[in-house]
């Protein structure tokens, strides 16, 4: 019994240790340290230098476990940093791949210069003119992409000048790095932030900005000044924030009430504290599969030798890329591709969705369609594959079946009878007239 309880206790201890080790596994991350090259004043294109650096993440400033490891030989010891992140944002599993994994999170760290913003919805944060002494320190901005696009993080860290012990002051995250949505659905673009409550900056308020970017075209979606609880004038229709969640939990997620095609693009969530700013970007794609229709409907009966034109119209889809093809399933159940037909150009509807059609010439004499079957239009789209089918009937088909032969014999007999009858009536009436003529002559 005592043995059992000892084993039990030991395994419990082991389990607890294991769980602890797993849950508190903040990563040691390789990161590119990128900065403008010093001593190269002027010039429009600022030259940058890129060096490997190492970030030891911990949640508690006093723990030193992670620091005991040796830095890899290709990393300059001056570029090894120790970052304390009490919110544990940087301890997400997607930033900590298993040892030896080929995939690594992407990370870039840059020197950061705190400064007031002039944006209308941010300026109130730095009303009191003189900048605090607190800003005189080493500031870094770090942006990280977790594995498999699970997470994007951007942080602002501060270290007492010339030390390498940084503290996270502001972190902004998104768990929706790449989102697909159907037309008309509500969309949530995730963005959350955490500001160190012990920093004097967080007492002065915050601001949030959402911007949209698509092929060089950008616009403000929404700007919010959290200090005075005011929204920017220009705003995208149907775009809102959860203001309660924003103030209570730092939930700055953008809600688009109804997805439209023009919403596809890049969204940037920017969170401002006085003098500091961090932002994460995410991609939204509105994906709507096409609806298909075939014309004429139903298909007319075809006779051998006839060419039947069939049209397939795909409409209401986005994005543009679409592949239309035709298939034929004969009476024998065999599926045969009939190619893509001749596709039309695309048109765009008022709601931004596209339509496109393809025309197929069904040549009953050369295409070996037998007695007919099922003609199908297949549309392959990012939103899914769609099909529409129509029955094709070829009558009087040249390779006759027994019924056809019987019918033909029947038709031939009827025709023969008809000809006989017509010629008989005609001939007999002709001879009657001749008889009358004869009588008159007499
Ligand atoms: C943020 O707010 C949105 C909208 O209310 C909600 O759907 C989402 O779950 C919230 N996110 C978090 C992490 O609480």
């Amino acid at each position: 019994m005592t043995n059992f309880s000892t084993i039990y206790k030991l395994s419990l201890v082991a389990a607890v240790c294991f769980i602890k080790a797993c849950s508190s596994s903040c990563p040691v991350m390789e990161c590119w340290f990128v900065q403008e090259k010093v001593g190269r004043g002027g010039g429009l294109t600022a030259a940058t230098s890129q060096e490997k650096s190492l970030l030891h993440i911990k949640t508690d400033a006093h723990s030193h476990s992670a620091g005991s490891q040796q830095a890899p030989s290709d990393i300059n010891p001056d570029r090894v940093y120790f970052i304390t992140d009490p919110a544990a944002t940087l301890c997400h599993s997607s930033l900590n791949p298993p040892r030896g994994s080929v995939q690594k999170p992407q990370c870039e760290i840059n020197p950061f210069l705190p400064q007031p913003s002039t944006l209308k919805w941010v300026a109130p944060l730095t009303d009191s003119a003189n900048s605090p002494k607190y800003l005189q320190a080493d500031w870094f901005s770090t942006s990280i992409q977790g594995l498999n696009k699970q997470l994007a993080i951007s942080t602002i860290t501060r270290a007492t000048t010339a030390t390498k012990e940084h503290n996270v002051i502001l972190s902004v995250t998104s768990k929706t790095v790449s989102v697909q949505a159907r037309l008309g659905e509500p969309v949530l673009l995730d963005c959350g932030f955490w500001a160190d409550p012990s920093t004097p900056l967080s007492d002065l308020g915050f601001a949030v900005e959402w911007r949209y970017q698509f092929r060089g075209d950008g616009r403000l979606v929404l700007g919010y000044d959290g200090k005075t609880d005011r929204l920017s004038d220009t705003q995208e229709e149907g775009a809102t924030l959860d203001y309660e969640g924003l103030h209570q939990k730092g939930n700055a997620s953008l809600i688009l009430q109804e997805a439209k095609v023009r919403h596809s693009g890049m969204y940037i969530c920017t969170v401002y504290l006085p003098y500091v700013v961090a932002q994460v970007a995410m991609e939204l794609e509105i994906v709507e599969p096409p609806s298909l229709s075939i014309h004429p409907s139903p298909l007319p009966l075809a006779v051998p030798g006839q060419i039947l034109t069939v049209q397939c119209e795909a409409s209401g889809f986005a994005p543009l890329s679409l592949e239309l093809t035709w298939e034929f399933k004969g009476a024998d159940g065999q599926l045969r591709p009939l190619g893509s037909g001749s596709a039309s150009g695309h048109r765009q509807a008022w709601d931004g969705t596209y339509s496109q059609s393809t025309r197929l010439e069904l040549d009953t004499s050369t295409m070996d369609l037998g007695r007919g079957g099922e003609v199908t239009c297949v549309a392959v789209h990012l939103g899914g594959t769609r099909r529409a089918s129509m029955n094709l009937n070829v009558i009087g088909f040249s390779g006759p079946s027994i019924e056809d032969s019987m019918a033909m014999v029947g038709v031939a007999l009827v025709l023969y009878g008809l000809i006989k009858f017509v010629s008989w009536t005609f001939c007999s009436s002709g001879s009657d007239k001749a008889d009358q003529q004869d009588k008159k002559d007499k």
Side-chain angles (χ1 to χ4, degrees):
M1 200 61 203
T2 46
N3 269 352
F4 174 75
S5 69
T6 318
I7 290 167
Y8 176 77
K9 273 181 196 159
L10 277 175
S11 55
L12 195 71
V13 167
V16 167
C17 288
F18 181 72
I19 289 166
K20 267 201 165 168
C22 280
S23 62
S24 66
S25 61
C26 294
V28 177
M29 235 184 309
E30 276 182 24
C31 201
W32 288 107
F33 186 91
V34 179
Q35 65 179 339
E36 280 178 28
K37 264 189 185 147
V38 278
R40 270 254 221 138
L44 281 176
T45 52
T48 57
S49 74
Q50 190 165 308
E51 279 175 90
K52 260 192 186 176
S53 74
L54 203 64
L55 312 182
H56 290 271
I57 313 293
K58 54 193 176 175
T59 53
D60 175 4
H62 304 295
S63 73
H64 278 282
S65 59
S68 57
Q69 286 164 314
Q70 275 287 310
S73 56
D74 61 338
I75 292 176
N76 177 351
D78 287 346
R79 291 281 171 247
V80 178
Y81 298 99
F82 299 91
I83 297 181
T84 305
D85 178 18
T89 314
L90 295 171
C91 303
H92 190 269
S93 61
S94 75
L95 305 184
N96 206 357
R99 240 165 224 287
S101 157
V102 183
Q103 280 193 313
K104 296 226 164 87
Q106 290 170 31
C107 177
E108 185 180 317
I109 186 164
N110 318 95
F112 177 82
L113 183 68
Q115 54 192 328
S117 167
T118 53
L119 284 170
K120 206 169 145 196
W121 48 92
V122 187
L125 301 184
T126 45
D127 270 348
S128 53
N130 47 356
S131 56
K133 204 161 180 208
Y134 176 78
L135 298 182
Q136 290 163 17
D138 284 348
W139 293 82
F140 283 164
S141 157
T142 311
S143 63
I144 310 168
Q145 289 265 345
L147 297 178
N148 307 321
K149 295 191 170 180
Q150 283 180 57
L151 189 69
I153 305 181
S154 178
T155 64
I156 297 295
T157 59
R158 176 188 182 273
T160 311
T161 305
T163 67
K164 295 192 297 167
E165 300 272 344
H166 277 254
N167 290 302
V168 174
I169 302 301
L170 172 66
S171 63
V172 180
T173 57
S174 174
K175 292 183 175 113
T176 55
V177 178
S178 177
V179 191
Q180 280 192 358
R182 292 282 298 263
L183 211 59
E185 276 182 350
V187 179
L188 183 85
L189 295 173
D190 178 67
C191 180
F193 75 94
W194 178 85
D196 178 2
S198 69
T199 163
L201 301 183
S202 66
D203 301 336
L204 302 172
F206 67 90
V208 174
E209 178 197 274
W210 278 94
R211 287 194 72 80
Y212 167 87
Q213 212 94 43
F214 184 67
R215 294 192 185 138
D217 168 35
R219 64 170 184 260
L220 177 73
V221 177
L222 187 148
Y224 175 70
D225 168 7
K227 186 183 178 188
T228 59
D229 187 30
R230 232 177 265 159
L231 272 170
S232 57
D233 307 331
T234 40
Q235 264 185 74
E236 172 92 21
E237 198 191 317
T240 60
L241 301 177
D242 170 1
Y243 295 100
E244 207 180 300
L246 177 60
H247 282 273
Q248 284 172 4
K249 295 184 286 179
N251 181 350
S253 302
L254 181 74
I255 304 155
L256 297 174
Q257 273 150 12
E258 199 183 326
K260 303 201 168 84
V261 175
R262 66 183 174 85
H263 288 148
S264 284
M266 175 91 88
Y267 288 78
I268 300 161
C269 171
T270 310
V271 177
Y272 296 85
L273 292 185
Y275 307 99
V276 300
V277 54
Q279 58 183 206
V280 287
M282 59 214 86
E283 189 88 41
L284 170 66
E285 187 166 33
I286 306 302
V287 176
E288 187 67 21
S291 351
L292 297 184
S293 61
I294 294 184
H295 307 284
S297 169
L299 293 179
L301 293 176
V303 290
Q306 192 186 0
I307 296 175
L308 214 65
T309 305
V310 205
Q311 181 147 339
C312 175
E313 167 101 16
S315 58
F317 61 92
L320 179 57
S321 165
L322 178 76
E323 191 192 324
L324 285 172
T325 53
W326 292 93
E327 267 173 12
F328 178 76
K329 191 159 103 183
D332 52 1
Q334 290 261 326
L335 209 62
R336 269 200 297 140
L338 296 181
S340 54
S342 46
S344 72
H346 64 268
R347 283 164 318 212
Q348 195 167 18
W350 59 273
D351 65 353
T353 60
Y354 296 95
S355 60
Q356 190 173 23
S357 63
T358 176
R359 221 180 51 215
L360 179 71
E361 308 227 302
L362 281 168
D363 188 340
T364 47
S365 60
T366 61
M367 285 173 93
D368 187 24
L369 302 175
R371 298 158 53 71
E374 201 178 55
V375 179
T376 303
C377 170
V378 185
V380 179
H381 186 260
L382 184 61
T385 299
R386 294 288 184 273
R387 292 163 177 274
S389 298
M390 204 59 93
N391 281 323
L392 171 74
N393 286 305
V394 182
I395 49 165
F397 171 59
S398 53
S401 64
I402 293 173
E403 300 98 90
D404 282 346
S405 317
M406 300 278 279
M408 273 189 235
V409 168
V411 169
L413 282 173
V414 169
L415 273 177
Y416 176 76
L418 208 66
I419 291 164
K420 255 303 201 228
F421 175 76
V422 169
S423 67
W424 177 77
T425 13
F426 178 77
C427 289
S428 63
S429 71
S431 56
D432 280 357
K433 271 188 188 149
D435 285 353
Q436 278 170 11
Q437 198 69 39
D438 282 352
K439 278 173 191 166
K440 270 188 187 166
D441 289 346
K442 278 173 190 174

